[in-house]
Amino acid sequence: MALALADAPAPALRIGDLELSSPILVAPMAGITDVPFRRIAMEMGAGLVCTEMVAAEAVVRSVEASLRLLQFPDDTRPVAAQLVGSDPAVMAAAAQVCAERGAMAVDVNLGCPVRKVVGLGCGAALARDVAATARVLAAIVDAVDVPVTAKMRLGWDQGSINAPLLARSLADVGVGAVTVHGRTRCQGYAGWADWREIAGVRAAVDIPVFGSGDLRDPEQIAHHIESGHVDGVVIARGMLGNFWLVRQAAHRLATGENLPDLPFVERIELGRRHLEELIAHYGEARALRIGRKYVAWTIKGCDGASRLRAMVQDLDSRERLDAIYAEALAAGERPEGPYQPIFTSGEG
Ligand SMILES: Cc1cc2nc3c(=O)[nH]c(=O)nc-3n(C[C@H](O)[C@H](O)[C@H](O)COP(=O)(O)O)c2cc1C
């Protein structure tokens, strides 16, 4: 009997009819989760990747820059598109465009804390009004055949935590899963995500709940899932400069074994590979500009990183990139200090 239990395959995690190969998902991140980033994340074993948030208004007006964010090549699937907006009809029409272009799920941003967005009644501001949010999500569920999900914060501030109520209302209108970032809008990125509050959302609904906030260690990620706080996680800042975290977390969950950290030389190889993907996608000049932040994050843990970061600031050729990586390798890695998140702000 014990053997039969041990051999039984883990129950599949599903969002609607979309079956996920792993509960380790990649968070939407503005300016980050483009096609090259998502491709490498999928290679690392992510169960689902997501675009950055895209304004629904711009999608329905066919703004070229927004449509460019909605590209879904075969090797980056399964993939979700994230929309931000507040008008049910506009959101429904934009969701149809996403699905027509190949998105396998549509996610709605209910957590963006940025003034420009909340000032329009979108992101975290929309989530304050549970009934209005449910109307938006219901319109999208009616408009598309793919699963519809939502990503929220705990609430607007400590005095108005509404994530459990919001999640229940969204489940009632057919939303297939929710992600909860364990901070309030007013917290921004300060302090630590509250995983007890996230677990409270999971206890309140029958749909899968994914947790977000301060995930940077495979053991910690496995703990949240294995102890039932959440059905899965979405990784964000912890994987910047360290795609390998996705592989480590997915492997730890699938096998119970810990994969060692990637040796510095291999981390640099992965960083180089990411730059090549960016060049193939954007062309060399633009890719090298976009790629500067990734190079800086990749060499973060090496001796003399601050001097090398100055070289990265005007990275404009492959030769210079090779020189930076060669110097980083020659300098070698220094023992990691305490984890420092790369961004202390963001759009969700
Ligand atoms: C640079 C950056 C951009 C972000 N953009 C988005 C976004 O477009 N949509 C969204 O829902 N969340 C966005 N977020 C929030 C993340 O998805 C995540 O919920 C948050 O960073 C907490 O996770 P972490 O502590 O592991 O980084 C962004 C975060 C960062 C740092």
Side-chain angles (χ1 to χ4, degrees):
M1 187 58 191
L3 188 64
L5 275 178
D7 284 344
L13 180 55
R14 288 173 169 280
I15 303 177
D17 55 11
L18 186 62
E19 188 167 322
L20 306 183
S21 60
S22 162
I24 309 298
L25 277 49
V26 172
M29 280 183 278
I32 310 271
T33 46
D34 57 6
V35 167
F37 190 96
R38 301 198 306 259
R39 176 170 290 130
I40 298 184
M42 283 313 298
E43 284 175 20
M44 293 293 129
L48 180 71
V49 290
C50 190
T51 66
E52 64 181 82
M53 67 175 192
V54 184
E57 286 277 357
V59 173
V60 296
R61 282 190 288 110
S62 299
V63 172
E64 192 48 46
S66 299
L67 293 182
R68 262 202 303 273
L69 299 173
L70 300 174
Q71 295 178 47
F72 307 107
D74 283 347
D75 60 351
T76 65
R77 295 157 76 86
V79 57
Q82 191 188 58
L83 291 172
V84 62
S86 61
D87 181 289
V90 172
M91 290 289 272
Q96 283 171 339
V97 175
C98 294
E100 277 157 19
R101 292 174 75 92
M104 296 168 76
V106 174
D107 187 59
V108 173
N109 184 318
L110 299 174
C112 183
V114 173
R115 245 172 241 283
K116 201 173 64 179
V117 172
V118 295
L120 294 170
C122 305
L126 178 61
R128 300 180 86 172
D129 185 338
V130 172
T133 308
R135 280 195 295 277
V136 171
L137 271 294
I140 301 175
V141 169
D142 273 354
V144 294
D145 291 331
V146 297
V148 177
T149 60
K151 181 162 176 282
M152 62 185 71
R153 285 180 176 245
L154 296 177
W156 184 259
D157 58 21
Q158 281 303 327
S160 57
I161 303 277
N162 68 352
L165 174 67
L166 183 60
R168 259 200 312 272
S169 302
L170 300 189
D172 285 347
V173 298
V175 164
V178 294
T179 297
V180 184
H181 175 187
R183 292 185 174 87
T184 64
R185 184 272 171 184
C186 290
Q187 243 181 308
Y189 281 78
W192 297 100
D194 188 335
W195 280 80
R196 267 189 320 192
E197 291 282 1
I198 297 174
V201 180
R202 191 194 185 223
V205 292
D206 292 331
I207 55 174
V209 173
F210 295 86
S212 167
D214 308 319
L215 296 169
R216 55 177 195 275
D217 174 73
E219 276 295 325
Q220 163 212 27
I221 291 169
H223 167 75
H224 286 312
I225 297 174
E226 287 166 353
S227 55
H229 297 159
V230 286
D231 299 281
V233 296
V234 307
I235 301 183
R237 292 172 296 173
M239 66 181 288
L240 299 178
N242 185 23
F243 284 109
W244 189 244
L245 177 59
V246 174
R247 171 71 55 86
Q248 286 178 304
H251 187 84
R252 166 67 183 73
L253 270 163
T255 66
E257 290 164 7
N258 289 314
L259 279 181
D261 290 343
L262 213 52
F264 191 45
V265 56
E266 286 177 43
R267 208 167 84 206
I268 289 200
E269 265 323 301
L270 198 52
R272 202 189 286 276
R273 161 79 207 297
H274 184 197
L275 258 287
E276 288 305 325
E277 291 287 347
L278 287 167
I279 290 170
H281 189 74
Y282 292 108
E284 187 165 319
R286 184 149 177 237
L288 289 173
R289 271 199 312 280
I290 294 173
R292 286 172 192 163
K293 56 182 183 275
Y294 297 111
V295 179
W297 297 335
T298 306
I299 62 174
K300 196 165 60 106
C302 90
D303 259 329
S306 47
R307 191 180 52 78
L308 284 173
R309 267 202 302 275
M311 287 172 72
V312 174
Q313 265 162 27
D314 33 45
L315 175 65
D316 59 359
S317 70
R318 279 189 153 112
E319 291 69 38
R320 204 169 170 85
L321 180 65
D322 287 342
I324 293 167
Y325 280 150
E327 276 210 37
L329 281 173
E333 197 173 14
R334 67 172 123 78
E336 278 289 319
Y339 173 80
Q340 296 287 347
I342 286 166
F343 282 97
T344 49
S345 65
E347 312 203 336

